[in-house]
Amino acid sequence: MTALIDLRKERPLSVKRVAAVLDVERRTIERWFSQGLERIKLGGKVYTSREALYRFSKRGQQQPDPALKEQSAADKAAAEYLDRIGV
């Protein structure tokens, strides 16, 4: 099952904002959409979320057992990095 952006828990981020914060071209974000980055359309504009970016970055890597409550050091580091860059 594919994870979806949950607007009750995730703040939408515009493609323009994500591209600026990550210092990549908008085309890169569009390519990520075609590769599975989750998106949502609101008012005719396309958005993603910090959590969707995190899930996309983890795709293809071995996922931890969902029963585990502890966050791994790598997960904590990734979350801290996203916080630092403002995503």
Side-chain angles (χ1 to χ4, degrees):
M1 181 176 159
T2 303
L4 300 174
I5 295 173
D6 183 352
L7 291 177
R8 295 171 295 173
K9 298 176 184 175
E10 302 176 34
R11 187 179 83 210
L13 297 170
S14 70
V15 172
K16 182 178 179 179
R17 170 126 171 90
V18 172
V21 169
L22 296 179
D23 194 26
V24 297
E25 297 288 327
R26 289 178 58 125
R27 291 180 302 208
T28 300
I29 307 302
E30 296 294 334
R31 188 177 71 247
W32 291 348
F33 287 144
S34 69
Q35 294 173 350
L37 175 60
E38 301 157 41
R39 63 182 166 203
I40 191 166
K41 201 169 202 180
L42 300 169
K45 293 186 180 182
V46 178
Y47 296 86
T48 190
S49 70
R50 173 184 175 198
E51 294 81 4
L53 286 163
Y54 179 75
R55 288 188 294 266
F56 180 72
S57 73
K58 298 295 283 181
R59 197 180 81 206
Q61 299 177 18
Q62 185 179 28
Q63 297 296 315
D65 183 346
L68 297 175
K69 299 290 182 192
E70 293 288 321
Q71 206 178 23
S72 74
D75 289 342
K76 286 179 185 175
E80 289 170 4
Y81 173 73
L82 290 172
D83 282 338
R84 279 195 312 274
I85 63 173
V87 175

